[in-house]
Every structure is written in C-alpha cells, then in structure tokens.
Amino acid sequence: MKLSRRSLLKYSIATAALASGGAWLVSPASIDFKPMPRLTLKPQYQQVFWYLIPAFLEGAVASDDVARKQHVLANIDQAFSILEPHTQAELNQLLEILASRGGWLLLSAGAAQLSELSIAQRLLLLQQWQRHYLQLLRQAYQGLHELITAAWYGDPTAWPELAYQLPVQARGLVND
C-alpha cells in the first residue's frame, strides 16, 4: 500500500494532535496560590488541600482565611509524614490524579478546575464522591476527609473555638 503525501500529512497532524492532547491531560494543573516552601508536600498537592480545606471544614475555616488554611496545611503535611508508607503511597497516587488535568477532569465529571469552583460547588462535588457508586471515589473522599479533619480537630489551637476541654486524664499526654 502506497501512502500519498496528503494522507501522510493528515496522519501526521492527527498524531500530533493526539500527542499534544495526551500531554495536556497528564500535565499538572497550574499553581494559582503561593505554596508553602518548608512543607514536604509537592506544591500541586498543597494546592489540592488548599482548596479542599474550606470545603471539608465549612464554617470553621473560611476560603479567604489564609493564615488558618496555612496552619491546617502545615498540620496535614506533618500528619502525612507519619502515615504508614503504603498509606502515603495510596494518598500520593490520589493527589497525583487530583493534581493532573486529566485526572481532575475524570473525577470531577468535567467540572471547572478546583480553584475556580465556589465553596457550594466544592461541597456538592465532595457529596457526590461520598455517595458515589464507585468505591474508589468513596475511599478518596474518606481519606481526604480524615486527613483534613484530623489536621484541624487534632490541633490544640483549634480547641477553644470548639469549646473543647482536654479531659484531665489526658493532660500531659498532649502538648497543648
């Protein structure tokens, strides 16, 4: 079979378009916030948490409260570092998917980038993950929920707002 010049050009253009589209899908989303340099989490992972913290901690941490979000993000980084290696690996895979354009497009069912969603839209998306028929999405929701809420509720500086008093028996066990 002889390939004409016209066919060769068509196939070349189609191949280039597919390759560039595939590269776009696996490329990380752009970073549109200032990552914290001293954290071990990659800036792309920090960005995922940055936009999910106000949704998971609705009412406790506002979207525009930069200092509080940085504090929770630092706690997440610390908690992440003490997780079991297999749990870290699974969470890294999830964060890699959420931070990539194609992964986000797939898991969000075509929603805009995480940074472009309002709190109400993020909450709706998280509710969809929580009740999704795919166990993988429910596990993703549960893992992110546990890590973010543990970073917030496990921090003694957040306890006064919660009117929480450490039990007398536990005093001395926690640096509060």
Side-chain angles (χ1 to χ4, degrees):
M1 178 176 134
K2 186 174 180 180
L3 191 63
S4 69
R5 185 171 14 164
R6 180 174 291 198
S7 296
L8 179 65
L9 285 172
K10 284 193 307 190
Y11 291 131
S12 298
I13 290 170
T15 303
L18 285 173
S20 64
W24 182 85
L25 285 175
V26 295
S27 67
S30 61
I31 302 292
D32 56 359
F33 86 111
K34 186 177 178 186
M36 296 173 62
R38 60 182 167 80
L39 300 184
T40 57
L41 289 171
K42 290 181 181 180
Q44 293 86 0
Y45 299 175
Q46 290 181 37
Q47 180 168 270
V48 170
F49 285 116
W50 187 259
Y51 291 110
L52 289 179
I53 287 170
F56 275 111
L57 301 175
E58 184 189 18
V61 177
S63 288
D64 58 349
D65 191 347
V66 173
R68 190 163 290 191
K69 287 195 315 187
Q70 286 177 332
H71 190 75
V72 175
L73 189 58
N75 288 344
I76 290 170
D77 186 68
Q78 184 180 5
F80 189 85
S81 68
I82 60 172
L83 291 173
E84 293 289 326
H86 70 277
T87 306
Q88 282 183 3
E90 288 177 358
L91 197 52
N92 273 327
Q93 289 173 349
L94 172 64
L95 292 170
E96 194 68 38
I97 290 171
L98 291 174
S100 73
R101 293 174 187 201
W104 177 255
L105 188 65
L106 181 68
L107 295 180
S108 69
Q113 289 297 313
L114 187 56
S115 61
E116 298 168 359
L117 297 177
S118 68
I119 284 293
Q121 291 170 319
R122 287 181 224 164
L123 285 169
L124 180 63
L125 184 65
L126 291 174
Q127 287 172 354
Q128 290 171 347
W129 288 359
Q130 186 181 20
R131 297 180 184 132
H132 205 275
Y133 67 92
L134 288 177
Q135 184 178 0
L136 185 65
L137 275 177
R138 291 193 311 266
Q139 286 177 326
Y141 170 86
Q142 192 63 33
L144 293 170
H145 179 264
E146 287 180 12
L147 191 57
I148 291 173
T149 54
W152 171 250
Y153 291 106
D155 185 359
T157 62
W159 294 350
E161 290 181 44
L162 304 169
Y164 175 73
Q165 300 269 330
L166 191 64
V168 175
Q169 297 87 357
R171 291 190 182 156
L173 299 175
V174 178
N175 294 333
D176 56 347

